[in-house]
Amino acid sequence: VTLAEEITLAQRYLAIEEVRFGHRLQVQWSLDPRTDAARLPPLLLQPLVENAVKHGVEPSPRGGKLKVMTELRGSRVVVRITNTLPTEKPGAAGSPSQGHGIALANVRARLALLHDVQGAFSAGVQDGLYQVRITLPAPAAPRPAAPAHAPRTPGPRRSSP
C-alpha cells in the first residue's frame, strides 16, 4: 500500500481516540506530500500509533501528545511517530506494564520483508519522547511522458497520368 493510504487509516484511528480521550490526547501531523507514494506493508502504521496511545497517552492522568511526521530526505522517506511518556514508572501501582515489544518486532520484520536493506526501523526514547523511526525508499519520480510525435500528414496527392 502507499504511505498516503496508511496515513489516512492512522488519521481515522486517531480521530476515534481523540473522541475517546478528549483534551487528554493532542495529535499533531506534519506530512510531506512528496512521500505519499512510498510503498510499505499494509497496516504498518496502525500498531505504532495504537502503541503510542496505549503506552504514552492512556496511562497518564494528564494525557499526552502524539506527532506523526513524514519527510523526503534525498532518496529516502522518513516516517517518525513520537509520543510523550507518562510520568509514572511502568510497573508502579496502578500503571500499566511496559509491553512486550511484539508489535515493534512485527513491524520491523514486515518492513524487512518488503524493503530488505533499503528499509530501516528504530524505536526508543530520545530527548524525553518515545520515537519510532521508519526509513523507506523514496517513490520513483514520475517519468516525463515520451514526446508525442507529430502526426504524419499526408503530402499532396499526385494524380497518376
Side-chain angles (χ1 to χ4, degrees):
V1 300
T2 65
L3 180 55
E5 291 169 311
E6 282 290 294
I7 291 291
T8 298
L9 185 62
Q11 288 172 326
R12 289 178 181 160
Y13 169 77
L14 289 171
I16 293 167
E17 293 294 28
E18 285 178 301
V19 170
R20 180 177 165 216
F21 287 100
H23 70 278
R24 290 184 54 222
L25 173 59
Q26 298 171 37
V27 178
Q28 181 182 0
W29 299 91
S30 178
L31 306 174
D32 183 341
R34 297 173 301 168
T35 66
D36 286 352
R39 306 293 297 177
L40 64 166
L43 294 173
L44 195 79
L45 298 184
Q46 172 67 25
L48 300 175
V49 294
E50 193 172 330
N51 271 1
V53 171
K54 181 179 179 182
H55 298 293
V57 177
E58 191 172 353
S60 176
R62 291 177 310 198
K65 297 178 183 176
L66 190 150
K67 181 176 182 180
V68 179
M69 186 276 309
T70 64
E71 67 179 325
L72 183 64
R73 286 193 173 180
S75 64
R76 315 295 288 160
V77 168
V78 177
V79 180
R80 277 199 311 255
I81 300 169
T82 57
N83 61 271
T84 53
L85 298 168
T87 53
E88 299 79 22
K89 298 283 184 213
S95 76
S97 68
Q98 191 170 358
H100 301 287
I102 295 170
L104 297 178
N106 182 299
V107 166
R108 181 179 283 112
R110 292 175 61 226
L111 184 62
L113 282 173
L114 181 65
H115 289 301
D116 195 23
V117 296
Q118 294 179 354
F121 178 87
S122 65
V125 177
Q126 184 174 343
D127 300 326
L129 299 171
Y130 194 84
Q131 176 177 276
V132 171
R133 181 184 165 130
I134 299 170
T135 306
L136 308 163
R143 294 183 180 180
H149 294 290
R152 290 190 169 196
T153 55
R157 290 187 173 221
R158 294 186 188 184
S159 52
S160 310

Coordinates of all heavy atoms in Angstrom, one line a residue, residues 20-103:
R20 N -12.4 9.6 22.3 CA -12.4 8.8 23.5 C -11.6 9.6 24.6 O -12.1 9.6 25.8 CB -11.7 7.5 23.2 CG -11.5 6.6 24.3 CD -10.9 5.3 23.9 NE -10.4 4.5 25.0 CZ -9.3 3.8 25.0 NH1 -8.6 3.7 24.0 NH2 -8.9 3.2 26.1
F21 N -10.5 10.2 24.3 CA -9.6 10.8 25.3 C -9.9 12.3 25.5 O -9.4 12.9 26.4 CB -8.1 10.6 25.0 CG -7.7 9.2 25.2 CD1 -7.6 8.3 24.2 CD2 -7.4 8.8 26.5 CE1 -7.2 7.0 24.4 CE2 -7.0 7.5 26.8 CZ -6.9 6.6 25.7
G22 N -10.6 12.9 24.5 CA -10.8 14.4 24.6 C -9.6 15.1 24.6 O -8.6 14.8 23.9
H23 N -9.5 16.1 25.5 CA -8.3 17.0 25.6 C -7.1 16.3 26.0 O -6.0 16.9 25.9 CB -8.6 18.2 26.5 CG -8.7 17.9 27.9 ND1 -9.9 17.3 28.5 CD2 -7.8 17.9 28.9 CE1 -9.6 17.1 29.8 NE2 -8.4 17.4 30.1
R24 N -7.2 15.1 26.6 CA -6.0 14.4 27.0 C -5.1 13.9 25.9 O -3.9 13.6 26.1 CB -6.4 13.1 27.9 CG -7.0 13.5 29.2 CD -7.4 12.3 30.1 NE -6.2 11.5 30.2 CZ -6.2 10.1 30.2 NH1 -7.4 9.5 29.9 NH2 -5.1 9.4 30.3
L25 N -5.6 13.8 24.7 CA -4.9 13.4 23.5 C -4.7 14.5 22.6 O -5.7 15.1 22.0 CB -5.5 12.2 22.8 CG -4.9 11.7 21.5 CD1 -3.4 11.3 21.7 CD2 -5.7 10.6 20.9
Q26 N -3.5 15.0 22.3 CA -3.2 16.0 21.4 C -2.4 15.4 20.3 O -1.3 14.8 20.5 CB -2.4 17.1 22.1 CG -3.2 17.8 23.2 CD -2.3 18.7 24.0 OE1 -1.4 19.4 23.4 NE2 -2.4 18.8 25.3
V27 N -2.9 15.5 19.0 CA -2.3 14.9 17.9 C -1.8 16.0 16.9 O -2.5 16.9 16.7 CB -3.2 13.9 17.1 CG1 -2.5 13.3 15.9 CG2 -3.7 12.8 18.1
Q28 N -0.6 15.9 16.5 CA 0.0 16.8 15.5 C 0.4 16.0 14.3 O 1.1 15.0 14.4 CB 1.1 17.6 16.1 CG 1.7 18.6 15.2 CD 2.9 19.3 15.9 OE1 3.3 19.0 17.0 NE2 3.6 20.2 15.1
W29 N 0.1 16.6 13.1 CA 0.5 15.9 11.8 C 1.4 16.9 11.1 O 1.2 18.1 11.0 CB -0.7 15.7 11.0 CG -1.7 14.7 11.6 CD1 -2.8 15.1 12.4 CD2 -1.7 13.3 11.5 NE1 -3.4 13.9 12.8 CE2 -2.8 12.8 12.3 CE3 -0.9 12.4 10.9 CZ2 -3.1 11.5 12.4 CZ3 -1.2 11.0 11.0 CH2 -2.3 10.6 11.8
S30 N 2.5 16.4 10.6 CA 3.5 17.2 9.8 C 3.8 16.3 8.6 O 4.7 15.4 8.6 CB 4.7 17.5 10.6 OG 5.6 18.2 9.7
L31 N 3.0 16.4 7.5 CA 3.1 15.5 6.4 C 3.6 16.1 5.1 O 3.1 17.2 4.7 CB 1.7 14.9 6.1 CG 1.0 14.2 7.4 CD1 -0.4 13.8 7.0 CD2 1.8 13.1 7.9
D32 N 4.6 15.5 4.5 CA 5.2 15.9 3.3 C 4.5 15.2 2.1 O 4.7 14.0 2.0 CB 6.7 15.6 3.3 CG 7.4 16.1 2.1 OD1 6.8 16.4 1.0 OD2 8.7 16.2 2.1
P33 N 3.7 15.9 1.3 CA 3.0 15.2 0.2 C 3.9 14.4 -0.8 O 3.5 13.5 -1.5 CB 2.2 16.3 -0.5 CG 2.8 17.6 0.0 CD 3.5 17.3 1.3
R34 N 5.2 14.8 -0.8 CA 6.1 14.1 -1.7 C 6.4 12.7 -1.3 O 6.9 11.9 -2.1 CB 7.4 14.9 -1.8 CG 7.3 16.3 -2.4 CD 8.6 17.1 -2.3 NE 9.0 17.2 -0.9 CZ 10.2 17.6 -0.5 NH1 11.1 17.9 -1.4 NH2 10.5 17.6 0.8
T35 N 6.0 12.3 -0.1 CA 6.2 11.0 0.4 C 5.0 10.1 0.2 O 5.1 8.9 0.5 CB 6.5 11.0 1.9 OG1 5.4 11.5 2.6 CG2 7.7 11.9 2.2
D36 N 3.9 10.6 -0.3 CA 2.6 9.9 -0.4 C 2.7 8.5 -1.1 O 2.0 7.6 -0.7 CB 1.5 10.7 -1.0 CG 1.0 11.8 -0.1 OD1 1.4 11.8 1.1 OD2 0.3 12.7 -0.5
A37 N 3.5 8.5 -2.1 CA 3.5 7.2 -3.0 C 4.5 6.2 -2.5 O 4.6 5.1 -3.1 CB 3.9 7.6 -4.4
A38 N 5.2 6.5 -1.4 CA 6.2 5.4 -0.9 C 5.4 4.2 -0.5 O 4.2 4.3 -0.1 CB 6.9 6.0 0.4
R39 N 6.0 3.0 -0.7 CA 5.3 1.7 -0.5 C 5.7 1.2 0.8 O 6.9 1.2 1.2 CB 5.7 0.7 -1.6 CG 5.4 1.2 -3.0 CD 4.0 1.4 -3.4 NE 3.3 0.1 -3.3 CZ 2.0 0.0 -3.5 NH1 1.3 1.1 -3.8 NH2 1.4 -1.1 -3.4
L40 N 4.7 0.6 1.5 CA 5.0 -0.1 2.8 C 4.0 -1.2 3.0 O 2.9 -1.2 2.3 CB 5.1 0.9 4.0 CG 3.8 1.7 4.4 CD1 4.1 2.3 5.8 CD2 3.6 2.8 3.4
P41 N 4.3 -2.1 3.9 CA 3.3 -3.2 4.1 C 2.0 -2.7 4.7 O 2.0 -1.7 5.4 CB 4.0 -4.1 5.1 CG 5.4 -3.8 5.0 CD 5.5 -2.3 4.6
P42 N 0.9 -3.3 4.3 CA -0.4 -2.8 4.9 C -0.4 -2.9 6.4 O 0.2 -3.8 7.0 CB -1.5 -3.7 4.2 CG -0.7 -4.9 3.7 CD 0.7 -4.5 3.5
L43 N -1.1 -2.0 7.0 CA -1.3 -1.9 8.5 C 0.0 -1.8 9.2 O 0.2 -2.4 10.3 CB -2.2 -3.1 9.0 CG -3.6 -3.1 8.5 CD1 -4.3 -4.4 8.9 CD2 -4.4 -1.9 9.1
L44 N 1.0 -1.1 8.7 CA 2.3 -1.0 9.3 C 2.2 0.2 10.4 O 2.7 0.0 11.5 CB 3.4 -0.7 8.3 CG 4.8 -0.9 8.9 CD1 5.1 -2.3 8.9 CD2 5.8 -0.1 8.1
L45 N 1.5 1.3 10.0 CA 1.5 2.4 11.0 C 0.5 2.2 12.1 O 0.7 2.7 13.2 CB 1.2 3.7 10.2 CG 2.2 4.1 9.2 CD1 1.8 5.5 8.6 CD2 3.6 4.2 9.8
Q46 N -0.6 1.5 11.8 CA -1.7 1.3 12.8 C -1.2 0.8 14.2 O -1.5 1.4 15.2 CB -2.7 0.3 12.2 CG -3.8 -0.1 13.2 CD -4.7 1.0 13.6 OE1 -4.9 2.0 12.9 NE2 -5.3 0.9 14.8
P47 N -0.4 -0.3 14.2 CA 0.0 -0.7 15.6 C 1.0 0.3 16.2 O 1.0 0.3 17.5 CB 0.7 -2.1 15.3 CG 1.0 -2.1 13.8 CD 0.0 -1.2 13.2
L48 N 1.6 1.1 15.4 CA 2.6 2.0 16.0 C 1.8 3.2 16.7 O 2.2 3.6 17.8 CB 3.5 2.5 15.0 CG 4.4 1.4 14.3 CD1 5.3 2.0 13.2 CD2 5.3 0.8 15.4
V49 N 0.8 3.7 16.0 CA 0.0 4.8 16.6 C -0.8 4.3 17.8 O -1.0 4.9 18.8 CB -0.8 5.6 15.6 CG1 0.0 6.4 14.6 CG2 -1.8 4.7 14.9
E50 N -1.3 3.0 17.7 CA -2.0 2.4 18.8 C -1.1 2.2 20.0 O -1.5 2.5 21.1 CB -2.5 1.0 18.3 CG -3.5 0.4 19.2 CD -4.2 -0.8 18.6 OE1 -4.3 -1.0 17.4 OE2 -4.5 -1.7 19.4
N51 N 0.1 1.8 19.8 CA 1.1 1.7 20.9 C 1.4 3.1 21.5 O 1.5 3.2 22.7 CB 2.4 1.1 20.4 CG 2.4 -0.4 20.5 OD1 1.5 -1.0 20.9 ND2 3.6 -1.0 20.1
A52 N 1.5 4.1 20.7 CA 1.7 5.4 21.2 C 0.6 5.9 22.1 O 0.8 6.5 23.2 CB 1.9 6.4 20.1
V53 N -0.6 5.6 21.8 CA -1.8 5.9 22.6 C -1.8 5.0 23.9 O -1.9 5.5 25.0 CB -3.1 5.8 21.8 CG1 -4.3 5.9 22.8 CG2 -3.2 6.8 20.7
K54 N -1.6 3.7 23.7 CA -1.7 2.8 24.8 C -0.6 3.0 25.9 O -0.9 3.0 27.0 CB -1.7 1.4 24.3 CG -1.8 0.3 25.4 CD -1.7 -1.1 24.8 CE -1.8 -2.1 25.9 NZ -1.8 -3.5 25.4
H55 N 0.6 3.2 25.4 CA 1.7 3.3 26.3 C 2.1 4.7 26.7 O 2.8 4.9 27.7 CB 2.9 2.5 25.8 CG 2.7 1.1 25.6 ND1 2.4 0.2 26.7 CD2 2.5 0.3 24.5 CE1 2.2 -1.0 26.2 NE2 2.3 -1.0 24.9
G56 N 1.8 5.7 25.8 CA 2.2 7.1 26.1 C 1.1 8.0 26.6 O 1.4 8.8 27.4
V57 N -0.1 7.8 26.1 CA -1.2 8.7 26.5 C -2.1 8.1 27.6 O -2.3 8.8 28.6 CB -2.0 9.1 25.2 CG1 -3.2 10.0 25.6 CG2 -1.1 9.8 24.2
E58 N -2.6 7.0 27.3 CA -3.6 6.3 28.2 C -3.1 6.3 29.7 O -3.9 6.6 30.6 CB -3.9 4.9 27.7 CG -5.1 4.3 28.4 CD -5.5 3.0 27.7 OE1 -5.0 2.7 26.6 OE2 -6.4 2.4 28.2
P59 N -1.9 5.9 30.0 CA -1.5 5.7 31.4 C -1.4 7.0 32.2 O -1.3 7.0 33.4 CB -0.2 5.0 31.4 CG 0.2 4.8 30.0 CD -0.8 5.4 29.1
S60 N -1.2 8.1 31.5 CA -1.0 9.4 32.1 C -2.3 10.1 32.4 O -3.1 10.4 31.5 CB -0.1 10.3 31.2 OG 0.0 11.6 31.8
P61 N -2.5 10.5 33.7 CA -3.8 11.2 34.0 C -3.9 12.5 33.2 O -5.0 13.0 32.9 CB -3.6 11.5 35.5 CG -2.6 10.6 36.0 CD -1.7 10.3 34.8
R62 N -2.8 13.1 32.8 CA -2.8 14.4 32.1 C -2.9 14.1 30.6 O -3.0 15.0 29.8 CB -1.6 15.2 32.4 CG -1.6 15.8 33.8 CD -0.3 16.5 34.0 NE 0.8 15.6 33.5 CZ 2.0 15.8 33.9 NH1 2.4 16.8 34.6 NH2 3.0 14.9 33.5
G63 N -2.8 12.9 30.2 CA -2.8 12.5 28.8 C -1.4 12.7 28.1 O -0.4 12.7 28.8
G64 N -1.4 13.0 26.9 CA -0.1 13.2 26.2 C -0.2 13.7 24.8 O -1.4 13.9 24.3
K65 N 0.9 13.8 24.2 CA 1.0 14.3 22.8 C 1.5 13.3 21.9 O 2.4 12.5 22.3 CB 1.9 15.6 22.7 CG 1.3 16.7 23.5 CD 2.3 17.9 23.4 CE 1.8 19.0 24.3 NZ 2.8 20.2 24.3
L66 N 1.0 13.2 20.7 CA 1.5 12.3 19.7 C 1.7 13.1 18.4 O 0.9 13.9 18.0 CB 0.4 11.2 19.5 CG 0.7 10.0 18.6 CD1 -0.1 8.8 19.1 CD2 0.5 10.2 17.2
K67 N 2.8 12.8 17.7 CA 3.1 13.5 16.5 C 3.5 12.5 15.4 O 4.3 11.6 15.7 CB 4.3 14.5 16.7 CG 4.6 15.3 15.4 CD 5.7 16.3 15.6 CE 6.0 17.0 14.3 NZ 7.1 18.1 14.5
V68 N 2.9 12.7 14.2 CA 3.2 11.8 13.1 C 3.8 12.8 12.0 O 3.2 13.8 11.7 CB 2.0 11.1 12.5 CG1 2.4 10.3 11.3 CG2 1.3 10.3 13.6
M69 N 5.0 12.4 11.6 CA 5.8 13.3 10.7 C 6.3 12.4 9.5 O 6.8 11.3 9.7 CB 6.9 13.9 11.4 CG 7.7 14.9 10.6 SD 9.0 14.3 9.5 CE 10.0 13.3 10.5
T70 N 6.1 12.9 8.3 CA 6.8 12.3 7.1 C 7.6 13.4 6.4 O 7.2 14.6 6.4 CB 5.7 11.8 6.1 OG1 4.9 12.8 5.6 CG2 4.8 10.7 6.8
E71 N 8.7 13.0 5.9 CA 9.5 13.9 5.1 C 10.4 13.1 4.1 O 10.7 12.0 4.3 CB 10.4 14.7 6.0 CG 11.5 14.0 6.7 CD 12.4 14.9 7.6 OE1 12.6 16.1 7.2 OE2 12.8 14.4 8.6
L72 N 10.7 13.8 3.0 CA 11.5 13.3 1.9 C 12.9 13.8 2.2 O 13.1 15.0 2.3 CB 11.0 13.8 0.6 CG 11.8 13.2 -0.6 CD1 11.7 11.7 -0.7 CD2 11.3 13.9 -1.9
R73 N 13.9 12.9 2.3 CA 15.3 13.3 2.5 C 16.1 12.6 1.4 O 16.4 11.4 1.6 CB 15.8 12.8 3.9 CG 15.3 13.6 5.0 CD 16.0 13.3 6.3 NE 15.7 14.2 7.3 CZ 16.2 14.2 8.5 NH1 17.1 13.2 8.8 NH2 15.8 15.0 9.4
G74 N 16.4 13.3 0.4 CA 17.1 12.7 -0.8 C 16.3 11.6 -1.4 O 15.2 11.8 -1.8
S75 N 16.9 10.4 -1.4 CA 16.2 9.3 -2.0 C 15.5 8.4 -0.9 O 15.2 7.3 -1.2 CB 17.3 8.4 -2.7 OG 18.2 7.9 -1.8
R76 N 15.3 9.0 0.3 CA 14.7 8.3 1.4 C 13.4 9.0 1.9 O 13.4 10.2 1.9 CB 15.6 8.1 2.5 CG 17.1 7.7 2.2 CD 17.2 6.4 1.6 NE 17.0 5.3 2.6 CZ 16.7 4.1 2.3 NH1 16.5 3.7 1.1 NH2 16.5 3.2 3.3
V77 N 12.5 8.2 2.3 CA 11.3 8.8 3.0 C 11.5 8.4 4.5 O 11.8 7.3 4.8 CB 10.0 8.1 2.5 CG1 8.8 8.5 3.4 CG2 9.7 8.6 1.0
V78 N 11.3 9.4 5.4 CA 11.4 9.2 6.8 C 10.1 9.4 7.4 O 9.4 10.4 7.2 CB 12.5 10.1 7.4 CG1 12.5 9.9 8.9 CG2 13.8 9.9 6.8
V79 N 9.6 8.4 8.2 CA 8.4 8.5 8.9 C 8.7 8.4 10.4 O 9.4 7.5 10.8 CB 7.4 7.3 8.6 CG1 6.1 7.4 9.4 CG2 7.2 7.2 7.1
R80 N 8.3 9.4 11.2 CA 8.5 9.4 12.6 C 7.2 9.5 13.4 O 6.4 10.4 13.0 CB 9.5 10.6 13.0 CG 10.9 10.3 12.8 CD 11.8 11.2 13.6 NE 11.5 12.6 13.5 CZ 12.2 13.5 12.7 NH1 13.3 13.1 12.1 NH2 11.9 14.7 12.7
I81 N 7.1 8.7 14.4 CA 5.9 8.8 15.3 C 6.5 9.0 16.7 O 7.3 8.1 17.1 CB 5.1 7.5 15.2 CG1 4.6 7.3 13.8 CG2 3.9 7.6 16.2 CD1 3.9 5.9 13.6
T82 N 6.2 10.1 17.3 CA 6.7 10.4 18.6 C 5.5 10.6 19.6 O 4.5 11.0 19.2 CB 7.6 11.6 18.7 OG1 6.9 12.7 18.2 CG2 8.9 11.4 17.8
N83 N 5.8 10.2 20.8 CA 4.8 10.4 21.8 C 5.4 10.8 23.2 O 6.6 10.3 23.4 CB 3.8 9.3 22.0 CG 4.5 8.0 22.4 OD1 4.9 7.2 21.5 ND2 4.6 7.7 23.7
T84 N 4.7 11.5 24.0 CA 5.2 11.8 25.3 C 5.1 10.6 26.1 O 4.4 9.6 25.8 CB 4.3 12.9 25.9 OG1 3.0 12.5 25.9 CG2 4.5 14.3 25.3
L85 N 5.9 10.6 27.2 CA 5.9 9.4 28.1 C 5.2 9.7 29.4 O 5.2 10.9 29.8 CB 7.4 9.1 28.4 CG 8.2 8.6 27.2 CD1 9.7 8.6 27.6 CD2 7.8 7.3 26.7
P86 N 4.5 8.7 30.0 CA 3.8 9.0 31.2 C 4.9 9.3 32.3 O 6.0 8.8 32.3 CB 3.1 7.7 31.5 CG 3.7 6.7 30.7 CD 4.3 7.4 29.5
T87 N 4.5 10.1 33.3 CA 5.4 10.4 34.3 C 5.6 9.3 35.3 O 6.6 9.2 36.0 CB 5.0 11.7 35.1 OG1 3.7 11.6 35.5 CG2 5.1 12.9 34.2
E88 N 4.6 8.5 35.4 CA 4.6 7.3 36.3 C 5.6 6.3 35.8 O 5.6 6.1 34.6 CB 3.2 6.7 36.5 CG 2.2 7.6 37.1 CD 1.6 8.6 36.1 OE1 1.7 8.3 34.9 OE2 1.1 9.7 36.5
K89 N 6.2 5.6 36.6 CA 7.1 4.5 36.2 C 6.3 3.3 35.8 O 5.4 2.9 36.6 CB 8.1 4.1 37.3 CG 9.0 5.3 37.7 CD 10.1 5.4 36.7 CE 11.1 6.5 37.1 NZ 11.6 7.3 36.0
P90 N 6.6 2.6 34.7 CA 5.9 1.3 34.4 C 6.1 0.3 35.5 O 7.1 0.2 36.1 CB 6.6 0.8 33.1 CG 7.3 2.0 32.5 CD 7.6 2.9 33.7
G91 N 5.0 -0.4 35.8 CA 5.0 -1.4 36.9 C 4.7 -0.8 38.2 O 4.5 -1.6 39.2
A92 N 4.6 0.5 38.4 CA 4.2 1.1 39.6 C 2.7 0.8 39.9 O 2.0 0.5 38.9 CB 4.5 2.6 39.6
A93 N 2.3 0.9 41.1 CA 0.9 0.6 41.4 C 0.0 1.5 40.6 O 0.1 2.7 40.5 CB 0.6 0.9 42.9
G94 N -0.9 0.8 39.9 CA -1.9 1.5 39.0 C -1.4 1.8 37.7 O -2.2 2.3 36.9
S95 N -0.2 1.6 37.3 CA 0.3 1.9 36.0 C 0.4 0.6 35.2 O 0.6 -0.5 35.7 CB 1.6 2.6 36.0 OG 2.6 1.8 36.3
P96 N 0.2 0.7 33.8 CA 0.2 -0.5 33.0 C 1.6 -1.0 32.8 O 2.6 -0.3 33.1 CB -0.4 0.0 31.7 CG -0.1 1.4 31.7 CD -0.1 1.9 33.1
S97 N 1.7 -2.2 32.3 CA 3.1 -2.8 32.1 C 3.7 -2.1 30.9 O 3.0 -1.5 30.1 CB 2.9 -4.3 31.8 OG 2.3 -4.5 30.6
Q98 N 5.0 -2.3 30.7 CA 5.7 -1.7 29.6 C 5.4 -2.3 28.3 O 5.6 -1.7 27.3 CB 7.2 -1.8 29.9 CG 8.0 -1.0 29.0 CD 9.5 -0.9 29.5 OE1 9.8 -1.5 30.5 NE2 10.3 -0.2 28.8
G99 N 4.9 -3.5 28.2 CA 4.6 -4.2 27.0 C 5.7 -5.2 26.7 O 6.7 -5.2 27.4
H100 N 5.5 -5.9 25.6 CA 6.5 -7.0 25.3 C 7.2 -6.7 24.0 O 8.1 -7.5 23.6 CB 5.7 -8.3 25.2 CG 5.0 -8.7 26.5 ND1 5.7 -9.1 27.6 CD2 3.7 -8.7 26.8 CE1 4.9 -9.3 28.6 NE2 3.7 -9.1 28.1
G101 N 6.9 -5.7 23.3 CA 7.6 -5.4 22.1 C 7.2 -6.2 20.9 O 7.9 -6.2 19.8
I102 N 6.1 -6.9 21.0 CA 5.6 -7.8 19.9 C 5.3 -7.0 18.7 O 5.7 -7.3 17.5 CB 4.5 -8.7 20.3 CG1 5.0 -9.6 21.4 CG2 3.9 -9.5 19.2 CD1 3.8 -10.4 22.1
A103 N 4.5 -5.9 18.8 CA 4.1 -5.1 17.7 C 5.4 -4.5 17.0 O 5.4 -4.5 15.8 CB 3.2 -4.0 18.1

